[in-house]
Amino acid sequence: MAIGNDESGSHPTLIGSVQRALRLLEAVAAHLDGAPAKQLAREAQLPLPTTYHLLRTLTHEGYLRRENGVFVIGEGAESIGRAGARRRQRRQLADALAVAGRELGAAVYFAVYREGEVEVVAITADPARPPVEEWADFRSTAHTHAIGQCLLAQLDEPTRKEHLSRYPVQSMTPFSVRSEGDLLNRLATVRRGQVAYDRQEYALGTVCSAIPIRVGSAAATLAVSLPATEVHRLQAVTDRLRKMAERVLTTLAFSISI
């Protein structure tokens, strides 16, 4: 018998107990403050003994909680909902970046500084405009690339100092900053101009720029990269990216947590 079909192969095989459990979960979710077993049985159109059995099982597994005689959604079910929300947010973010990338003719990135690390949340995947290859960990080389410099420039001094104590400045290419002093001067320039430029400092053959974005207290950035042969386009592309930022900011705001 084929998986998912009955012996005739013409109808899907449905497991009744799973269907009943799902109906019960939907009934519980419809009540923000919870509901008692008898009410849930009526709304899910289930026999009361069956309802009790399912409620006990779902509570034991963490999908429901019993509080003051009523049942409410538990951590297990909430985690499924959060996972679904994260997937939707990632799709929305990917779609927004893809549109921006096509309009700019560049690879586009969105990154945040979270829990002491540079985290690239999303990158466009257009074969015509491939992103820079991460040949050295973006987290430990933040001082060399536009994304990292843009994020470091947004940090307060103690946080930035702590980051650099873990990831000391070291040259990655002949164009990289040479010392922590050089980097701090660069970050001051980034703060004044509200843009970071990387001209082959992280990867030979690639130029990048990044603009700061603030969503609440989170340091974030939108960035682009181009082949070094198109360095003449970098400033114009960056200016257009800045104008686009407001348009996609709502999507990015939801994505800070993903």
Side-chain angles (χ1 to χ4, degrees), residues 145-147 149-150 190 194-198 208-212:
H145 49 73
I147 287 173
Q149 290 180 9
C150 190
V190 171
Q194 293 295 289
V195 60
Y197 288 107
D198 155 17
C208 308
S209 67
I211 59 173

Side-chain angles (χ1 to χ4, degrees), residues 87-99:
R87 284 194 296 272
R88 288 192 298 274
Q89 290 163 1
R90 285 187 182 276
R91 283 198 299 270
Q92 291 169 353
L93 177 58
D95 290 345
L97 293 188
V99 170

Side-chain angles (χ1 to χ4, degrees), residues 64-188:
L64 297 178
R65 296 195 316 273
R66 189 173 185 180
E67 298 180 350
N68 302 319
V70 299
F71 292 88
V72 297
I73 290 296
E75 177 62 28
E78 289 173 350
S79 66
I80 293 174
R82 287 193 296 269
R86 285 194 295 269
R87 284 194 296 272
R88 288 192 298 274
Q89 290 163 1
R90 285 187 182 276
R91 283 198 299 270
Q92 291 169 353
L93 177 58
D95 290 345
L97 293 188
V99 170
R102 287 193 294 271
E103 292 187 22
L104 296 171
V108 184
Y109 312 72
F110 175 59
V112 299
Y113 193 85
R114 180 157 44 197
E115 297 181 355
E117 301 292 353
V118 170
E119 181 178 341
V120 179
V121 177
I123 308 174
T124 53
D126 184 352
R129 290 290 173 180
V132 63
E133 181 181 352
E134 187 178 358
W135 71 274
D137 192 333
F138 278 151
R139 294 172 299 179
S140 61
T141 59
H143 58 283
T144 66
H145 49 73
I147 287 173
Q149 290 180 9
C150 190
L151 293 173
L152 291 175
Q154 296 179 62
L155 303 180
D156 58 49
E157 185 175 351
T159 304
R160 184 165 50 248
K161 185 177 293 186
E162 192 278 332
H163 180 96
L164 294 176
S165 71
R166 289 183 288 120
Y167 301 120
V169 172
Q170 55 179 324
S171 296
M172 304 300 295
T173 77
F175 304 98
S176 303
V177 292
R178 299 292 181 180
S179 67
E180 185 170 319
D182 290 342
L183 174 66
L184 294 178
N185 289 335
R186 172 73 64 82
L187 297 183

Side-chain angles (χ1 to χ4, degrees), residues 13 19 28 32 35 38 40 61 78 104 112 120 127 152 176 183 188 192 194 207 211 230 233 242 251 253:
T13 299
Q19 290 179 302
V28 175
L32 190 61
K38 289 183 179 179
L40 294 170
E61 296 297 327
E78 289 173 350
L104 296 171
V112 299
V120 179
L152 291 175
S176 303
L183 174 66
R192 288 194 298 271
Q194 293 295 289
V207 295
I211 59 173
E230 297 181 24
R233 295 183 55 223
R242 197 187 302 277
T251 302

